[in-house]
Structures are given as C-alpha cells and as structure tokens.
Amino acid sequence: MISADLGQPLDGYVTKPVETGRYGSKSEDLREGVRRIQDRETQLLALDAVIERSIADSDAGRREPAEKVFDELEARYQAMVDRKA
C-alpha cells in the first residue's frame, strides 16, 4: 500500500470528485490518475518511436521535399473544408 502526502491543494482536488460522487473513494480517484499517466507515457513512447523512425528514414535518404508535403496537406485540408460547405 502506498501512502502519500499530496498537500492541501492536491488533496482537495482528489477529495472533491469523491464528495460529488464521481469516484467512490480517494483511492479510486488516484488510480484513475495513475492510469492516465500510464496512457500518456505509452503515447509518448509511441511518438518517440515515430520520431526515431522518421529521423532514420531521413538519414537514409527516404524523404519527400517539403514543398510536396505542404501541397498535399493543403489539398487535404481544402477537401475537408469543401466537404463541410
């Protein structure tokens, strides 16, 4: 079991959702917070992997000219605008 002194501001932040019924206990609220941290860390690791692959691709000469990429993005976003109109 973990015991932590959150300090007044954070303790209040954890207590309020329990008092309003959103969570059944402070532990439940804190577990949700830890799960969110896990999710964020997983997303950051995935992003790091994408960045590393992109750098490796660029170093190996597998890249597109920026102008071509920007033109493709502009066309994609314009098509989205056109569909909404």
Side-chain angles (χ1 to χ4, degrees):
M1 179 175 207
I2 295 174
S3 175
D5 180 10
L6 299 176
Q8 189 174 351
L10 289 178
D11 188 62
Y13 194 78
V14 170
T15 301
K16 187 171 183 172
V18 174
E19 291 172 349
T20 61
R22 181 170 181 180
Y23 294 100
S25 67
K26 287 183 179 181
S27 292
E28 186 180 320
D29 190 358
L30 291 171
R31 281 191 297 272
E32 174 69 17
V34 171
R35 282 190 290 272
R36 288 177 181 255
I37 291 169
Q38 287 176 314
D39 289 345
R40 184 187 69 206
E41 291 300 317
T42 299
Q43 291 172 348
L44 287 173
L45 287 172
L47 180 58
D48 286 343
V50 168
I51 291 170
E52 287 179 23
R53 280 195 313 271
S54 297
I55 291 171
D57 284 345
S58 178
D59 290 346
R62 296 182 298 266
R63 56 184 168 236
E64 295 285 339
E67 184 174 305
K68 178 181 177 186
V69 173
F70 294 144
D71 288 346
E72 289 173 2
L73 287 172
E74 184 177 5
R76 182 183 307 169
Y77 293 130
Q78 186 60 51
M80 291 169 62
V81 168
D82 293 345
R83 279 193 300 266
K84 288 184 179 183

